[in-house]
Amino acid sequence: MANFQMTVTDRGLKLLAESMTGEGLHFTKMEMGDAAYSGNLAAVTAVVSPRCQLELSHMARSGDQVTFKSVLAFREVEEGFQWRELGLYARDPSSGKDVLYAYGNAGNEGDYIPGADEATLNERVIQLTVAVASTPNITAELSGSGIFIEYQELEQAIDDLGVVTLTHEKAGSTHKLTGLGGLSGLLMGRFKATADFAEGDTFTVDGVAYSAQQENGEALSEGQFVTGSGVAVVIDTEGKTVNFKGGGGIGSSDLSLATATEATVFNGKTFYGGNSKELRTGTALATPTSVAAGNLFNGKTAYDNNGNLITGTALSQSVSVNANNIPSGVTA
């Protein structure tokens, strides 16, 4: 991994001093380069040999420091290069131009960045922390993909929302959730499933029996959650109910309402129904038929062996029939 020696540049320090009583600091971008610069890092005014410009996708302040993140998409790197330079730019309010606020060089300890035709990964997260002293107003142009978030950040975001992390285990047909820690009321919770849910299973929360249902009040269905999945719930400690977000699809009880059978579904066509989620295949008209429009009376309908509705055309022209032109004993 690249080992950068980072510093706030002379122009960055000047901008920082002006920001203390002015408009604050507004950061705009990162830039990567491949020059092995060994001079005074603080005197650098621009990345020496720029190869890739990066949008800022994340900013977080902690005291007198700010951490920025950018996402490098390898597909946007036309030709591979040795990454040795990293620069962070901020906007000079007086000139409206970008100023190199911080600069770092890794020398011989840089990383190779592959080109689009040789990359085996899709993206890389680049993180940089710089000093901003006590400047009150720090802003940034956050226009990157923003698709990356570290696990610790996710955990903190979830905690900030008041989501309770529960432990799950299954004993027999009972799912045991633990970890409320004495909390009460209407609580958002989550757990990692250690077993599958089957219709008819029951629940306890911290040893107390709870009923379980989907958010719309319907019963949980087979496969509501499976081993290894992350499950979100809303726990009502007063009503002793665990409410699950929709999932699991149609259950066996729903399927049992369907009246289709193999004998009533066209041969080769598939369907679901009955008390099983197994795919079933129709057998109706399994025996070939010779039904055709020409041998059905005009206006009469029937299905052929492929399940197509056909309308008869036989006797489609009117005829004159009376007793005088029908042989004796023949009816029509």
Side-chain angles (χ1 to χ4, degrees), residues 178-192:
T178 56
L180 284 186
L183 296 175
S184 61
L186 203 59
L187 308 169
M188 291 186 293
R190 57 174 180 156
F191 65 88
K192 183 175 182 179

Side-chain angles (χ1 to χ4, degrees), residues 12-142:
L13 289 174
K14 181 176 181 295
L15 195 60
L16 176 61
E18 294 172 350
S19 72
M20 300 292 287
T21 57
E23 300 179 16
L25 283 171
H26 181 70
F27 293 92
T28 58
K29 64 183 179 181
M30 286 189 197
E31 196 166 48
M32 303 168 68
D34 61 1
Y37 182 79
S38 58
N40 180 7
L41 299 180
V44 178
T45 58
V47 170
V48 179
S49 178
R51 297 299 300 271
C52 188
Q53 182 173 299
L54 303 174
E55 297 176 324
L56 303 176
S57 62
H58 175 83
M59 180 183 78
R61 181 170 186 172
S62 178
D64 61 356
Q65 293 185 323
V66 174
T67 298
F68 296 95
K69 289 182 183 179
S70 288
V71 179
L72 170 64
F74 291 131
R75 64 182 177 276
E76 298 177 0
V77 180
E78 295 183 2
E79 185 178 348
F81 65 94
Q82 193 67 28
W83 177 32
R84 298 186 178 94
E85 298 180 273
L86 180 62
L88 174 67
Y89 288 80
R91 184 70 43 80
D92 183 347
S94 60
S95 67
K97 297 181 179 180
D98 286 345
V99 170
L100 183 64
Y101 181 87
Y103 177 77
N105 199 287
N108 294 327
E109 298 183 61
D111 290 343
Y112 179 72
I113 302 299
D117 60 348
E118 57 182 325
T120 56
L121 299 176
N122 292 323
E123 295 179 317
R124 176 171 181 169
V125 179
I126 297 173
Q127 180 171 300
L128 174 61
T129 299
V130 296
V132 293
S134 58
T135 301
N137 186 23
I138 304 294
T139 59
E141 295 180 12
L142 301 180

Side-chain angles (χ1 to χ4, degrees), residues 259-269 271 280-287:
T259 58
T261 64
E262 285 80 0
T264 58
V265 176
F266 286 118
N267 184 46
K269 304 297 182 181
F271 68 101
R280 301 163 66 181
T281 303
T283 60
L285 297 183
T287 302

Side-chain angles (χ1 to χ4, degrees), residues 251-311:
S252 298
S253 58
D254 301 308
L255 290 172
S256 65
L257 299 176
T259 58
T261 64
E262 285 80 0
T264 58
V265 176
F266 286 118
N267 184 46
K269 304 297 182 181
T270 56
F271 68 101
Y272 290 98
N275 294 317
S276 172
K277 287 189 177 182
E278 294 183 1
L279 190 64
R280 301 163 66 181
T281 303
T283 60
L285 297 183
T287 302
T289 63
S290 57
V291 176
N295 54 30
L296 281 178
F297 284 117
N298 184 44
K300 300 298 182 182
T301 56
Y303 288 97
D304 64 13
N305 196 51
N306 295 319
N308 300 314
L309 183 67
I310 59 176
T311 302

